[in-house]
């Protein structure tokens, strides 16, 4: 091929490529240019119509089109979606009129008022937190439907599956509406039957006792445990797991839990399918510690499981908790204790070998402590009870002690401490949530004895005055034989330090004219101060000054009474030590408390004596599974005259709450002629008690108790000469140091209008001159 021909071919190829590129470029540019029959339209201005509350600038801010740009239907669509998504508008239309973009809006109304009608089982306070709409909030139908569903869910959790909710909208001027939720609650949807599949060891009746959900029965008119609640059913599954795990079935599984509503919508049929698995016994148990100074020998005594016993997951968890607590007490706050199980078959038995691995965890510090729920109580009242502050190393023992101290204040129904992550890995935040309780109390007490005597007491107290933790109490007690008035005040943190300071005023008048022919009056005051020595040991000191008068003695009264006519003055100082290791100061289940007190009179005044008392109380679960708690209390006292006999007013008296089964002052020496209680110089009382639930729902707060009292009161050192001593001394009272004993049962109900206590007692050991009491009650109210 010659040179000319080759050049021609090359030129033709280059021209073809250039032509193709020009064609493609033209097509691309055509996408940005209007067609010849579609002239370019620009948005000259935007006009907003129909808006009443919402500013025009607000509407324009949500639009993607602006004046001066080319009109584009796609941008119009985006602007519509943006405006609708705000929830401010019920309808929006956008149109182009001679270069003017017209945005026509219909605003959603504002809610003026909300109300619930037809609700009886759930009050407005129960329903209001469930809805998101509020007065002065924009009304939208989607939010109304969402609130309706929330209310329906709340009713279903309360067992009312037949409830229906219809929202009604009342139109008002100025684009406002009233929103009313009309509620038809219907009848409660109960539990018709609870069945189990796969259970071999325990029958259905035994497993039903484990669950929180109960079958509906006509007599179960208290509580809501017999209504269907999906959350409670999930909790029931956990209860079943705990039950089987505590009985050695470590492989237990729940296959399915199904709740089917009956056709008449009156009850649910619950079916729970399970696989029990094998039952294991405990094998070898060991502790492996990676911390040099915390040896396995130090932690092994805390192991609650024993080889050969049925495996119990609850005891394993308790062992881990006890080891963690003990390590924290020894200064090792950052630990991770894990219980590892190893299953094996030994001599034909399925066993589990347990190894507790103790490793050092990461060191964590308290970044912040938040307090919630104290509406009335000041923050400082709570924070001064904390055993750790911001910046301290996190310590589980101190957290638990803080919870105990907050409970011990008596200001809160519930105390919850929660640990949440802080701003860094080595920081933690402690949230303290409290539920305040009524700390004011107005109580009315009454008692009846077999001798038809009656006693009425009225007391008013406030244990958290003005939310500062201060305590004030006033009481008036009246009856056929005595009247009493007292007033007391306590500042728990005097001068801002943990020193409790207080004062008491008292006045007492006793009328013995009918029985003994005299009146007795006592009046005085006491000052007291107390402070902690250690975390659990506390001491207090007190001074008492009082005047006692025996007046209006009848001329036929006994020589013993005439001998005591006149005025006596007591000036005494005393001290107390108390050691408290109870797990909860309000409702103890474990632990003990011991108190030792002494008072000496004779620093001035006319009375001289030394009085000593001691009390020890021990708590421990008898049958923890069924919440039966045991209590044993030892109470004893001795008063000794310093060179003189002890006056009647300074002696000990037993009966009433201190010795149930006997009326107040019903135990011990009595005047032979008047049959009046004379008290004694020495006493002891042993009280054994068991507290237990009586089958009523927990929310009723009704507890039963059975008790036994054993003790005596003796040694009234009073003798008078008969006929000038011609026949020697004659003791004008009956006394016996023989023990007395009573048994009985009682019920305590923390009712909405105050605590109610009812006791029935039977005396099984007594003297013929004692005065017993078979029934007593106490009722009060709080505010």
């Amino acid at each position: 091929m010659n040179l000319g021909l080759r050049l021609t071919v090359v030129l033709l190829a280059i021209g073809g490529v250039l032509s193709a590129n020009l064609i493609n470029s033209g097509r691309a540019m055509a996408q940005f240019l209007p067609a010849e029959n579609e002239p370019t339209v620009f948005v000259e201005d935007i006009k907003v119509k129909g808006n009443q509350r919402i500013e025009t600038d607000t509407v324009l801010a949500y639009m993607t089109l602006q004046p001066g740009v080319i009109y584009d239907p796609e941008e119009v669509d985006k602007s519509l979606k943006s405006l609708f998504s705000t929830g401010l508008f019920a309808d929006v239309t956008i149109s182009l009129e001679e270069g003017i973009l017209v945005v026509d809006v219909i605003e959603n109304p504002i809610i003026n008022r909300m109300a619930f009608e037809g609700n009886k089982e759930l009050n407005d306070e129960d329903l209001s937190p469930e809805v998101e709409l509020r007065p002065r909030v924009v009304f939208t139908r989607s939010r109304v439907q969402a609130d309706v569903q929330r209310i329906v869910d709340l009713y279903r959790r309360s067992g009312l599956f037949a409830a229906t909710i219809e929202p009604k909208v009342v139109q008002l001027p100025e684009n406002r509406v009233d929103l009313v939720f009309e509620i038809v609650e219907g009848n409660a949807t109960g539990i018709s039957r609870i069945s189990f599949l796969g259970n071999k060891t325990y029958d259905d009746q035994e497993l039903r006792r484990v669950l929180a959900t109960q079958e509906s029965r006509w007599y179960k008119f208290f509580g809501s445990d017999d209504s269907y609640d999906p959350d409670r059913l999930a909790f029931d599954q956990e209860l079943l797991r705990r039950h089987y795990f505590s009985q050695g079935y470590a492989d237990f599984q729940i296959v399915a839990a199904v709740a089917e509503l009956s056709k008449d919508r009156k009850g649910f049929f619950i079916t729970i399918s399970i696989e029990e698995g094998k039952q294991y016994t405990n094998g070898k148990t060991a502790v492996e510690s990676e911390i040099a100074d915390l040896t396995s020998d130090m932690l092994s005594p805390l192991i609650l499981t024993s080889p050969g016993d049925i495996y119990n997951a609850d005891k394993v968890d308790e062992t881990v908790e006890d080891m963690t607590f003990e390590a924290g007490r020894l200064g090792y706050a950052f630990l991770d204790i894990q219980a590892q199980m190893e299953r094996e078959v030994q001599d034909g038995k399925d066993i589990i070998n347990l190894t507790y691995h103790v490793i050092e965890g990461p060191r964590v510090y308290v970044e912040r402590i938040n307090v919630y729920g104290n509406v009335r109580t000041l923050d400082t009242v709570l924070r001064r009870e904390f055993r750790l502050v911001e910046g301290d190393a996190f310590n589980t023992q101190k957290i638990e002690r803080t919870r105990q101290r907050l409970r011990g204040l008596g200001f809160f129904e519930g105390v919850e401490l929660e640990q949440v992550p802080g701003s860094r890995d080595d920081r933690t935040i402690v949230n303290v949530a409290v539920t305040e309780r009524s700390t004011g109390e107005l109580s009315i007490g009454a008692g009846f004895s077999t001798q038809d005597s009656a006693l009425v007491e009225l007391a008013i107290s406030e244990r958290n005055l003005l939310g500062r933790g201060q305590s004030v109490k006033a009481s008036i007690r009246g009856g056929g034989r005595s009247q009493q008035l007292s007033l007391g005040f306590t500042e728990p943190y005097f001068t801002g330090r943990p020193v409790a300071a207080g004062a008491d005023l008292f006045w007492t008048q006793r009328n013995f004219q009918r029985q003994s022919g005299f009146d007795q009056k006592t009046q005085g005051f006491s000052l007291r101060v107390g402070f902690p020595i250690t975390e659990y040991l506390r001491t207090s000191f007190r001074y008492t000054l009082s005047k006692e008068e025996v007046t209006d003695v009848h001329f036929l009264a006994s020589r013993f009474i005439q001998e005591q006519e006149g005025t006596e003055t007591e000036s005494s100082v005393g001290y107390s030590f108390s050691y408290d290791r109870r797990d909860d100061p309000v409702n103890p289940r474990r632990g003990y408390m011991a108190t030792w007190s002494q008072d000496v009179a004779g620093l001035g005044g006319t009375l001289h004596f030394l009085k000593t008392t001691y009390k020890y109380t021990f708590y421990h679960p008898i049958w923890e599974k069924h919440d039966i708690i045991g209590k044993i209390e030892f109470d004893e006292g001795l008063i000794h005259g310093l060179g003189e006999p002890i006056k009647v007013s300074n002696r000990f008296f037993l009966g009433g709450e201190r010795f149930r089964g006997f009326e107040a002052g019903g135990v011990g020496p009595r005047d032979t002629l008047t049959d009046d209680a004379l008290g004694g110089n020495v006493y002891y009382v042993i009280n054994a008690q068991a507290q237990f639930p009586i089958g009523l729902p927990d929310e009723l707060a009704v507890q039963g108790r059975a008790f036994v009292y054993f003790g005596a009161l003796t040694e009234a050192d009073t003798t008078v000469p008969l006929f000038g001593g011609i026949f020697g001394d004659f003791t004008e009272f009956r006394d016996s140091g023989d023990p007395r004993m009573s048994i009985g049962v009682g019920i305590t109900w923390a009712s909405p209008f105050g605590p109610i206590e009812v006791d029935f007692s039977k005396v099984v050991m007594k003297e013929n001159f004692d005065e017993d009491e078979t029934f007593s009650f106490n009722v009060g109210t709080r505010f």
Side-chain angles (χ1 to χ4, degrees):
M1 183 179 295
N2 58 25
L3 180 60
L5 181 59
R6 291 178 179 176
L7 289 173
T8 302
V9 173
V10 172
L11 291 173
L12 288 174
I14 294 173
V17 172
L18 292 174
S19 298
N21 289 336
L22 288 173
I23 292 171
N24 292 333
S25 299
R27 291 174 180 174
M29 293 180 63
Q31 296 178 4
F32 299 94
L33 297 175
E36 294 183 0
N37 55 352
E38 294 182 8
T40 302
V41 179
F42 290 89
V43 177
E44 299 177 3
D45 196 7
I46 300 177
K47 183 178 181 182
V48 179
K49 298 170 56 179
N51 55 318
Q52 300 177 10
R53 301 184 317 274
I54 303 170
E55 298 290 338
T56 298
D57 291 342
T58 303
V59 177
L60 296 177
Y62 286 106
M63 296 187 61
T64 59
L65 285 171
Q66 299 297 329
V69 302
I70 298 175
Y71 176 81
D72 187 349
E74 291 185 4
E75 296 300 322
V76 171
D77 185 60
K78 291 180 181 179
S79 297
L80 284 171
K81 292 178 179 178
S82 177
L83 290 171
F84 272 116
S85 67
T86 63
L88 299 174
F89 307 104
D91 191 20
V92 180
T93 58
I94 299 178
S95 60
L96 187 66
E97 300 176 4
E98 298 180 355
I100 306 299
L101 193 66
V102 179
V103 182
D104 199 348
V105 300
I106 299 178
E107 295 178 350
N108 277 321
I110 291 292
I111 297 176
N112 176 65
R113 184 178 66 90
M114 282 182 55
F116 302 97
E117 294 183 357
N119 54 311
K120 297 178 181 178
E121 295 294 330
L122 300 178
N123 55 37
D124 290 2
E125 288 74 16
D126 298 324
L127 298 174
S128 295
E130 295 295 321
V131 298
E132 292 186 352
L133 289 174
R134 294 286 186 273
R136 297 181 296 278
V137 172
V138 176
F139 170 91
T140 64
R141 296 190 179 277
S142 60
R143 298 176 71 180
V144 171
Q145 292 303 318
D147 283 346
V148 167
Q149 187 58 46
R150 292 188 186 93
I151 298 175
V152 169
D153 292 341
L154 180 61
Y155 270 101
R156 289 182 175 178
R157 291 197 299 270
S158 303
L160 297 170
F161 280 78
T164 59
I165 293 87
E166 183 69 26
K168 298 293 185 181
V169 179
V170 181
Q171 300 290 340
L172 300 175
E174 299 179 0
N175 200 24
R176 296 175 300 125
V177 296
D178 285 343
L179 177 61
V180 180
F181 292 98
E182 294 185 352
I183 301 172
V184 179
E185 293 181 331
N187 296 323
T189 309
I191 307 297
S192 298
R193 187 174 68 247
I194 302 176
S195 303
F196 298 89
L197 298 177
N199 52 315
K200 299 176 182 178
T201 306
Y202 303 98
D203 58 29
D204 286 12
Q205 186 64 28
E206 290 176 309
L207 294 181
R208 290 190 193 104
R209 296 193 189 102
V210 177
L211 305 182
T213 303
Q214 301 295 319
E215 292 181 347
S216 299
R217 294 292 185 268
W218 65 269
Y219 53 83
K220 293 183 179 180
F221 46 86
F222 287 115
S224 58
D225 290 343
D226 59 343
S227 61
Y228 176 69
D229 184 348
D231 294 335
R232 190 187 298 123
L233 181 58
F235 179 61
D236 287 334
Q237 296 177 56
E238 181 60 27
L239 290 178
L240 276 177
R241 292 188 187 94
R242 293 179 185 176
H243 171 70
Y244 271 94
F245 288 167
S246 67
Q247 300 301 318
Y249 295 89
D251 300 328
F252 172 80
Q253 290 183 345
I254 294 179
V255 179
V258 180
E260 296 179 318
L261 185 61
S262 62
K263 293 182 179 180
D264 57 7
R265 302 179 67 84
K266 292 184 178 180
F268 276 90
F269 293 85
I270 297 177
T271 304
I272 302 177
S273 301
I274 64 176
E275 290 183 1
E276 292 183 336
K278 302 176 182 179
Q279 187 180 40
Y280 293 87
T281 57
N282 294 322
K284 300 176 182 179
T285 304
V287 177
E288 295 181 358
S289 176
E290 297 182 3
I291 302 175
D293 296 331
L294 189 64
T295 64
S296 59
D297 293 338
M298 299 170 64
L299 298 177
S300 294
L302 301 174
I303 297 175
L304 301 177
T305 56
S306 300
D309 291 346
I310 298 298
Y311 171 79
N312 189 332
D314 291 341
K315 289 188 176 181
V316 174
D317 293 339
E318 290 178 20
T319 299
V320 172
E321 292 178 4
D322 291 347
M323 287 183 177
T324 304
F325 190 84
E326 178 65 14
R329 188 184 68 83
L330 297 173
Y332 300 94
F334 308 100
L335 292 181
D336 185 14
I337 302 178
Q338 299 178 354
Q340 295 184 354
M341 298 188 302
E342 180 185 358
R343 295 171 174 83
E344 68 172 345
V345 178
Q346 190 178 87
D347 298 331
K349 296 182 179 180
D350 296 296
I351 67 172
I352 289 180
N353 298 319
L354 283 169
T355 302
Y356 295 93
H357 292 277
V358 182
I359 61 177
E360 188 169 6
R363 188 169 292 271
V364 180
Y365 297 90
V366 178
E367 178 179 350
R368 189 170 66 253
I369 300 178
N370 300 319
V371 180
Y372 304 99
N374 54 320
V375 178
R376 183 177 178 222
T377 307
L378 300 179
D379 262 20
T380 53
V381 174
L382 283 85
R383 292 185 180 273
R384 66 194 184 191
E385 302 298 329
F386 291 176
R387 299 296 93 182
L388 73 175
V389 297
E390 285 91 345
D392 285 354
F394 182 81
N395 188 307
T396 54
Q397 182 196 24
K398 291 184 177 180
I399 286 289
E400 177 61 21
R401 182 58 180 161
T402 297
R403 188 194 68 82
Q404 292 178 357
R405 291 181 66 89
L406 290 176
R407 288 270 298 164
L409 292 175
F411 305 159
F412 309 110
E413 195 74 37
V415 178
E416 298 292 336
L417 280 78
E418 178 188 20
Q419 178 189 1
V420 298
S423 59
R424 290 162 43 183
D425 292 340
D426 62 344
R427 298 288 185 268
T428 186
I429 297 174
V430 178
N431 292 326
V432 181
V434 298
T435 303
E436 291 186 321
R437 66 191 306 174
S438 300
T439 54
E441 182 172 345
L442 173 65
S443 63
I444 303 174
F448 299 90
S449 71
T450 53
Q451 280 71 31
D452 294 329
S453 61
L455 179 69
V456 178
E457 181 177 10
L458 174 65
I460 183 171
S461 65
E462 172 56 62
R463 291 174 287 118
N464 188 15
L465 186 64
L466 301 177
R468 300 177 181 273
Q470 300 166 334
S471 174
V472 61
K473 180 178 181 179
S475 66
I476 301 175
R477 182 176 182 177
R481 295 185 178 183
S482 66
Q483 296 82 41
Q484 178 178 319
L485 175 64
S486 63
L487 178 65
F489 175 80
T490 302
E491 167 56 64
Y493 269 73
F494 186 63
T495 67
R497 298 181 179 182
V499 176
D504 301 286
L505 299 174
F506 51 88
W507 174 87
T508 302
Q509 178 173 299
R510 303 184 68 185
N511 185 342
F512 294 107
Q513 288 294 337
R514 184 173 62 85
Q515 299 87 358
S516 306
F518 75 97
D519 292 337
Q520 182 184 41
K521 296 180 181 179
T522 304
Q523 54 189 336
F525 72 91
S526 65
L527 303 175
R528 45 192 164 79
V529 61
F531 54 88
I533 299 176
T534 67
E535 183 63 32
Y536 303 100
L537 179 63
R538 186 177 183 87
T539 187
S540 61
F541 299 90
R542 56 191 168 273
Y543 172 76
T544 302
L545 180 64
S546 64
K547 182 176 72 171
E548 177 186 309
E549 297 179 77
V550 175
T551 61
D552 298 332
V553 178
H554 197 276
F555 70 95
L556 294 178
S558 68
R559 295 184 179 89
F560 168 68
I561 299 300
Q562 293 180 11
E563 186 182 65
Q564 298 203 18
E565 184 176 13
T567 301
E568 300 284 356
T569 302
E570 176 187 336
S571 176
S572 65
V573 293
Y575 69 93
S576 298
F577 287 99
S578 62
Y579 189 68
D580 190 354
R581 292 308 304 264
R582 296 172 297 174
D583 63 343
D584 191 303
V586 179
N587 296 310
R589 300 171 62 87
R590 298 177 185 271
Y592 60 90
M593 181 176 181
T595 304
W596 169 277
S597 298
Q598 279 194 322
D599 291 273
V600 179
L603 303 178
T606 60
L607 297 176
H608 304 81
F609 61 80
L610 172 64
K611 181 166 63 176
T612 304
T613 59
Y614 172 74
K615 180 182 288 187
Y616 175 83
T617 309
F618 176 76
Y619 300 89
H620 195 274
I622 298 175
W623 198 353
E624 194 164 16
K625 177 181 177 182
H626 295 282
D627 201 26
I628 300 177
I629 307 301
K631 167 189 167 185
I632 298 178
E633 184 174 84
F634 300 88
D635 186 7
E636 57 186 343
L638 168 67
I639 185 169
H640 176 70
L642 301 178
E644 63 185 29
I646 300 298
K647 302 293 184 181
V648 173
S649 58
N650 300 121
R651 296 174 187 161
F652 299 110
F653 289 84
L654 279 186
E657 292 184 358
R658 297 185 65 183
F659 203 131
R660 297 185 187 278
F662 295 89
E663 71 170 46
V667 178
R670 309 192 73 82
D671 190 294
T672 304
L673 301 177
T674 65
D675 202 34
D676 287 322
L678 301 178
N681 295 352
V682 179
Y683 81 92
Y684 68 92
V685 177
I686 302 173
N687 167 28
Q689 179 174 299
Q691 181 175 294
F692 50 86
I694 60 175
L696 296 177
D698 293 341
E699 56 265 27
L700 292 181
V702 179
Q703 291 282 324
R705 62 180 181 273
F707 51 82
V708 177
Y709 282 83
F710 184 87
L713 173 68
T714 185
E715 294 190 16
D717 53 355
T718 300
T719 60
V720 295
L722 184 63
F723 299 113
I726 297 176
F727 301 101
D729 287 344
F730 174 71
T731 302
E732 295 188 33
F733 62 89
R734 293 169 288 181
D735 188 11
S736 172
D738 296 337
R740 277 75 156 175
M741 182 176 178
S742 66
I743 60 175
V745 294
I747 294 176
T748 301
W749 177 27
S751 70
F753 47 86
I756 295 179
E757 295 182 353
V758 179
D759 291 298
F760 298 89
S761 307
K762 173 66 176 178
V763 175
V764 294
M765 294 173 60
K766 59 174 285 189
E767 296 295 327
N768 56 8
F769 52 82
D770 291 335
E771 296 184 0
D772 57 348
E773 182 180 67
T774 57
F775 169 75
S776 66
F777 81 94
N778 185 284
V779 59
T781 185
R782 292 186 173 92
F783 59 90

